[in-house]
Amino acid sequence: MKQGNQSMVMEFILIGFSIFPDLQVPLFVVFSIMYLAILAGNIIIIIMIRHESNLHTPMYFFLAMYSCSEICYTFTIIPNMLVNLLRQKATISFIGCVIQMYTFLGFACTNCLLLVVMGYDRYVCICKPLHYLVLMNQRFCTKLVVFSVIGSFLISAVYSYSVFTLPYCGPNKINHFLCDIAPLLQLACARNYIGEILIFLFCILVGGFSFFPILLSYILILNTIMKIPTAEGKRKAFSTCASHLIVVVMHFGCASAVYLRPQSSYTLTEDMFISITYTLVTPLLNPVVYSLRNKDVQVALKKSLGRSTHAQKI
């Protein structure tokens, strides 16, 4: 797509998977299976929590909201990515690129803030068990979720505005399979160093606002667990937090590898691998790590399967 000096880019070409031309069909099959597994795992979690009364607790309410956010997050990226794997030329309009970045960053930030909320929930449950149901009442839990969603999309609006107010009048090939911050900044025909620094600082602020409250929660949780006299009591208390801790490490590990590093260290192959991890692998593992290995969820799943089998026999 040739552009004049005064013309603006009207569409972008996503060249991420073009470096693997012979693998595009196999990748389409593998990624499609993974996406269906992501949808199935998270939908099962939502249905189980909704229909099983013993899962109507703040912990599982937040988990259901997290699963909803994961479904929306992957929906903004993966279907378009699958279509592009089967196309000779993977293009996306300028407006489509804006919408994709805004929505996927919004849901990514929502996931971060929900992990903070879930960490706080575990802190109250373990450190203040007698006040748990009073402090974590339904109204307060709903407010936390609403705040997480609204705050996240305001953050995403700031990111998107900072990126797309830059002029794009030259190259239009994005070295990625989605509209992300770093590859788009490389295409801007006028470098805005202040804008790039602000985006980097904003990433640190958002990451710090999300990660450090979780870290503080676990320091307080660990302090409380160490005071439990029996080894069995310590094991049970820690087991309620282990899954959340694993998801936190996966989520923030991938996010920091992508966003909290100098733009000069950006490489296509490395970023493709990391991006596939946080768009496909992490959402796929979340239902397994956080819920399907959880005893309460396993019991509820067996009860539901038992009811289904009994209904079929009748």
Side-chain angles (χ1 to χ4, degrees):
M1 180 177 177
K2 295 182 179 180
Q3 301 284 345
N5 290 334
Q6 303 300 319
S7 62
M8 300 300 293
V9 170
M10 300 304 295
E11 70 174 12
F12 294 103
I13 301 173
L14 301 166
I15 64 172
F17 289 113
S18 63
I19 61 175
F20 309 116
D22 298 330
L23 295 177
Q24 288 188 214
V25 173
L27 286 174
F28 173 83
V29 175
V30 172
F31 292 165
S32 295
I33 294 171
M34 293 176 71
Y35 183 50
L36 291 175
I38 290 168
L39 293 178
N42 284 291
I43 289 171
I44 288 172
I45 290 169
I46 294 167
I47 292 173
M48 296 293 301
I49 292 172
R50 180 174 177 80
H51 290 284
E52 294 298 327
S53 58
N54 62 314
L55 299 181
H56 292 174
T57 64
M59 171 180 159
Y60 292 109
F61 170 72
F62 293 133
L63 183 55
M65 295 299 101
Y66 187 79
S67 292
C68 288
S69 180
E70 283 282 50
I71 290 172
C72 296
Y73 169 72
T74 54
F75 181 75
T76 64
I77 301 171
I78 299 176
N80 185 64
M81 179 184 74
L82 293 175
V83 171
N84 288 336
L85 280 169
L86 299 180
R87 297 168 64 187
Q88 290 185 341
K89 186 178 180 181
T91 61
I92 185 170
S93 67
F94 187 89
I95 296 300
C97 197
V98 174
I99 293 171
Q100 185 183 62
M101 175 180 284
Y102 174 70
T103 52
F104 108 76
L105 284 178
F107 286 115
C109 290
T110 299
N111 289 344
C112 287
L113 294 184
L114 286 176
L115 287 173
V116 175
V117 170
M118 294 159 85
Y120 176 73
D121 171 73
R122 292 298 82 205
Y123 157 73
V124 176
C125 180
I126 293 174
C127 299
K128 299 182 179 182
L130 298 179
H131 301 93
Y132 179 63
L133 294 178
V134 176
L135 292 173
M136 303 302 292
N137 59 75
Q138 184 62 45
R139 185 177 180 182
F140 180 64
C141 292
T142 303
K143 286 182 178 180
L144 288 175
V145 171
V146 171
F147 169 78
S148 298
V149 174
I150 294 175
S152 295
F153 278 89
L154 288 175
I155 291 169
S156 178
V158 173
Y159 275 120
S160 301
Y161 179 81
S162 300
V163 171
F164 286 102
T165 50
L166 294 172
Y168 295 92
C169 51
N172 68 331
K173 293 183 178 180
I174 299 177
N175 290 326
H176 214 309
F177 58 84
L178 61 94
C179 295
D180 206 351
I181 295 173
L184 278 166
L185 288 178
Q186 289 189 327
L187 296 182
C189 55
R191 293 292 296 274
N192 184 349
Y193 292 101
I194 295 177
E196 290 178 22
I197 292 171
L198 287 176
I199 290 172
F200 180 75
L201 292 176
F202 202 60
C203 287
I204 293 176
L205 178 63
V206 173
F209 181 75
S210 301
F211 181 75
F212 286 110
I214 295 175
L215 181 62
L216 178 61
S217 295
Y218 274 101
I219 290 173
L220 297 173
I221 287 170
L222 184 61
N223 182 57
T224 300
I225 290 175
M226 294 304 294
K227 295 177 182 178
I228 298 175
T230 64
E232 181 65 16
K234 291 178 181 178
R235 187 192 66 79
K236 286 183 178 180
F238 185 74
S239 66
T240 64
C241 305
S243 298
H244 176 256
L245 195 56
I246 293 170
V247 172
V248 167
V249 171
M250 291 192 302
H251 185 90
F252 285 98
C254 290
S256 60
V258 173
Y259 297 110
L260 298 181
R261 61 174 176 163
Q263 193 179 345
S264 58
S265 65
Y266 177 86
T267 60
L268 175 57
T269 305
E270 180 182 328
D271 271 58
M272 286 275 288
F273 176 77
I274 297 172
S275 298
I276 289 169
T277 300
Y278 73 71
T279 55
L280 275 166
V281 179
T282 301
L284 179 64
L285 292 178
N286 284 344
V288 178
V289 171
Y290 206 97
S291 294
L292 299 182
R293 66 184 293 273
N294 183 288
K295 289 183 179 179
D296 292 335
V297 175
Q298 288 176 357
V299 170
L301 182 60
K302 288 177 182 178
K303 285 170 63 178
S304 296
L305 292 174
R307 283 197 295 266
S308 299
T309 304
H310 180 68
Q312 288 176 357
K313 288 181 180 179
I314 295 175

